[in-house]
Amino acid sequence: MSLHDEVANKAANKLANELAAELEARDSQGLRRRRRLLTTPQRARVNVDGREYIAFCSNDYLGLAADPRLAAAAKSGIDRYGVGAGASHLILGHSSAHHELEAALAAFVRLPRALLFSTGYMANMGVVSALAGRGDAVFADRLNHASLNDAALVSRAAFKRYAHNDLAALERLLQNTPASRRLVIVDAVFSMDGDIAPVPALLELCIRYDAYLLIDDAHGFGVLGAQGRGTLAHFGITSERVIYMATLGKAAGVSGAFVAGSEALIESLVQNARTYIYTTATPPLLAQALLASLQVIEQEDWRRDRLRELVAQLQRELTGGLWRLLPSDTPIQPLLVGGNAEALDLSARLADQGLLVPAIRPPTVPQGTARLRISLSADHSAADVKRLTAALLQAA
Ligand SMILES: *Cc1c(COP(=O)(O)O)cnc(C)c1O
């Protein structure tokens, strides 16, 4: 072994030892995350690690991830376009399926134009750093999704966070900022809490202090508003100050994301959003599947009705139990447990009974607020929810 190899080996061992120590520390705090192996499509009843479960884990709120109509649309997309887009949108990856989907999405959320991104994470990174930079300021709710935080950091704008839904704190920040462009960024539905942001009041502040409002509707699109048109429809908001973003891998059941707004906004993102420009377009077959999904979202109100009934049933049946549900009217129903070990233990006991509910721990949620994130889907039945609530009452 040459001297060079030996030095390289030592360095590699040092890194491996450091990483192993960090992982052990995670274990001892109950923070080690493990992946389960899913061998069936994503739906209420799944086979995981070789066993059958009822799962309350997915963001597939409308039960579309395994819908045969979406799958058929994807197959016809393969027949027409093959599997890969083969290039980025600005080179030669922008197919007529992507184009048609953008038009359909814009019409659906009633905004002038929409732009597809490969993921919600990339959409947030792209839009925030295209709109804000040095000399600007980004204002963010503390419970926002990690992708919005990362986007703000990457943008190099001043990054100001305010306590969850604390509009007075946001107003003080807006009053005191020297920034030329101000961007307020917020989850429309908070992903680990399920509560809906006070969008009309946020918009009022933005108008008063000449700021723009980026709404991340990852959990509202398809679920809230008439025909699932999302949080803007839910509140009846139309404003040029709003930049709307939603993801397509949750209620829409497929993959991807889009940003919608004015013609000038979208055209400027085409020119400037780095996560749009420097990446391969998603396979056109996904756009085909999403066109089918959009029709189902628009036409099948029964899925949203079913969700509302299941949410009400869950809340009714858990009233007066040992653990309390956080206040939420959306399919995200977090059960506050507190300690990490306690949450893990409860999740494990449910799994023993064939019920999968993830324990969500810090740093995803604040210290001391570990919880079971129960998420409901139109694919669940009343009997599924009853099994969960009975198991929880018994575990207490
Ligand atoms: C899931 C999620 C994202 C990321 O979307 P992906 O398409 O999964 O990358 C962004 N924002 C919020 C609020 C989310 O819940």
Side-chain angles (χ1 to χ4, degrees):
M1 200 186 285
S2 76
L3 179 61
H4 178 270
D5 287 343
E6 232 165 86
V7 170
N9 257 349
K10 246 194 193 149
N13 283 341
K14 181 161 174 280
L15 178 63
N17 290 339
E18 283 170 8
L19 296 179
E22 283 168 25
L23 289 170
E24 250 165 60
R26 260 183 190 274
D27 272 335
S28 65
Q29 295 167 283
L31 292 178
R32 173 79 153 249
R33 288 146 188 247
R34 290 178 199 284
R35 300 172 300 174
R36 293 180 182 274
L37 207 59
L38 180 66
T39 50
T40 48
Q42 186 66 264
R43 50 164 70 116
R45 274 158 211 282
V46 289
N47 195 296
V48 172
D49 296 329
R51 182 179 163 185
E52 168 95 16
Y53 290 92
I54 303 172
F56 296 89
C57 306
S58 83
N59 303 309
D60 180 30
Y61 304 118
L62 298 180
L64 297 181
D67 188 285
R69 293 165 292 179
L70 273 63
K75 285 176 191 154
S76 81
I78 293 183
D79 292 341
R80 178 152 174 208
Y81 295 101
V83 286
S88 65
H89 282 277
L90 289 184
I91 302 302
L92 193 57
H94 188 64
S95 72
S96 49
H98 294 118
H99 206 65
E100 195 185 330
L101 177 60
E102 287 180 341
L105 288 167
F108 186 66
V109 298
R110 311 218 150 107
L111 287 164
R113 197 174 158 192
L115 187 69
L116 278 175
F117 283 79
S118 299
T119 71
Y121 200 115
M122 291 170 75
N124 282 338
M125 293 292 262
V127 69
V128 174
S129 47
L131 295 179
R134 282 203 179 85
D136 301 327
V138 173
F139 305 88
D141 189 293
R142 277 216 174 265
L143 294 192
N144 276 354
H145 190 260
S147 60
L148 284 173
N149 292 336
D150 294 356
L153 291 173
V154 163
S155 78
R156 299 183 217 197
F159 184 30
K160 307 283 184 192
R161 297 169 82 194
Y162 57 90
H164 182 47
N165 283 341
D166 188 344
L167 297 179
L170 171 59
E171 181 159 17
R172 282 192 296 278
L173 292 172
L174 286 166
Q175 272 165 352
N176 293 324
T177 182
S180 43
R181 188 183 285 167
R182 304 106 194 255
L183 186 62
V184 176
I185 62 178
V186 68
D187 283 23
V189 174
F190 289 89
S191 54
M192 295 301 141
D193 292 68
D195 58 327
I196 302 172
V199 180
L202 287 164
L203 182 57
E204 226 169 86
L205 281 180
C206 288
I207 293 167
R208 196 171 318 149
Y209 294 98
D210 190 23
Y212 298 90
L213 182 61
L214 168 61
I215 294 182
D216 176 340
D217 206 17
H219 301 277
F221 180 81
V223 173
L224 296 179
Q227 296 164 298
R229 289 177 202 276
T231 298
L232 295 182
H234 172 80
F235 285 114
I237 285 173
T238 47
S239 167
E240 287 258 317
R241 285 197 180 267
V242 171
I243 299 146
Y244 182 81
M245 173 273 186
T247 64
L248 301 169
K250 288 169 180 162
V254 185
S255 181
F258 70 99
V259 175
S262 67
E263 175 67 35
L265 168 79
I266 299 305
E267 187 55 29
S268 143
L269 292 178
V270 171
Q271 307 305 319
N272 297 312
R274 297 173 62 84
T275 55
Y276 181 75
I277 298 168
Y278 298 108
T279 197
T280 302
T282 52
L285 69 99
L286 298 182
Q288 291 280 93
L290 281 161
L291 281 163
S293 171
L294 208 50
Q295 289 202 336
V296 176
I297 291 173
E298 191 168 353
Q299 289 165 6
E300 299 192 348
D301 274 332
W302 69 263
R303 293 176 185 273
R304 283 173 290 275
D305 295 342
R306 159 86 63 90
L307 267 177
R308 263 189 295 277
E309 284 159 21
L310 296 175
V311 167
Q313 181 193 345
L314 183 82
Q315 291 172 337
R316 201 169 54 238
E317 290 175 357
L318 289 180
T319 302
L322 175 59
W323 301 288
R324 125 188 119 76
L325 284 173
L326 294 178
S328 158
D329 296 324
T330 67
I332 303 169
Q333 293 287 317
L335 192 71
L336 188 62
V337 177
N340 297 344
E342 208 185 337
L344 275 182
D345 178 61
L346 183 56
S347 177
R349 276 193 288 162
L350 291 175
D352 284 343
Q353 297 180 52
L355 299 162
L356 281 187
V357 190
I360 309 287
R361 293 154 285 160
T364 308
V365 294
Q367 285 292 342
T369 70
R371 64 198 65 180
L372 295 194
R373 182 183 184 271
I374 301 168
S375 67
L376 297 171
S377 163
D379 197 36
H380 287 125
S381 66
D384 294 338
V385 171
K386 182 78 201 167
R387 267 194 61 190
L388 175 63
T389 57
L392 281 168
L393 293 176
Q394 193 209 337

